[in-house]
Amino acid sequence: MNGRLSPAVPTLMVREGDRVRIRITARGIIDHPMHLHGHRVRVISRNGEAVTGSTWWTDTLNVAPGESYEIDFSADNPGVWMDHCHNFEHAESGMIMHLAYDDVTTPYHGPAH
């Protein structure tokens, strides 16, 4: 994500009530079915062209090589959420980002290094 793999991917911090817009682009040669936990997203554009017709809501968006999507969502479910490629081998390799709300913490403390 942005040339990084987890855990080096910065957490996207939001406030409850924010409207969040994200651009997702696949620059490789493999599809990436991107999935944001805890939220449904609205597809705004595909490859720079505005989406027309009925509102396109999804929780997983397949991004093929060379494709670019703009999505948005309401920050209306406070927590710490994972956004990852649903090709689990990609997620396991670090294609993971976290979305976290201000003033929300987790009791998880990973292994000591």
Side-chain angles (χ1 to χ4, degrees):
M1 302 225 171
N2 291 332
R4 298 179 179 170
L5 296 174
S6 182
V9 178
T11 298
L12 176 59
M13 299 300 298
V14 299
R15 287 188 202 104
E16 188 171 6
D18 283 352
R19 191 81 188 159
V20 182
R21 182 177 286 207
I22 299 173
R23 178 176 295 125
I24 303 170
T25 302
R27 291 197 166 90
I29 59 170
I30 300 171
D31 288 10
H32 295 292
M34 299 304 296
H35 173 70
L36 174 60
H37 288 251
H39 301 80
R40 285 188 336 149
V41 301
R42 179 178 63 139
V43 178
I44 299 170
S45 70
R46 177 177 178 237
N47 299 327
E49 297 291 323
V51 174
T52 60
S54 298
T55 305
W56 180 0
W57 293 100
T58 188
D59 69 355
T60 304
L61 180 64
N62 191 66
V63 185
E67 286 187 325
S68 183
Y69 288 88
E70 277 190 305
I71 61 171
D72 75 353
F73 63 92
S74 292
D76 59 3
N77 192 7
V80 178
W81 299 100
M82 181 188 293
D83 184 14
H84 65 94
C85 181
H86 233 275
N87 176 330
F88 294 127
E89 292 155 348
H90 295 178
E92 182 179 51
S93 296
M95 191 173 244
I96 297 170
M97 178 183 78
H98 289 90
L99 168 76
Y101 285 70
D102 286 344
D103 301 321
V104 174
T105 60
T106 175
Y108 176 73
H109 303 284
H113 296 284

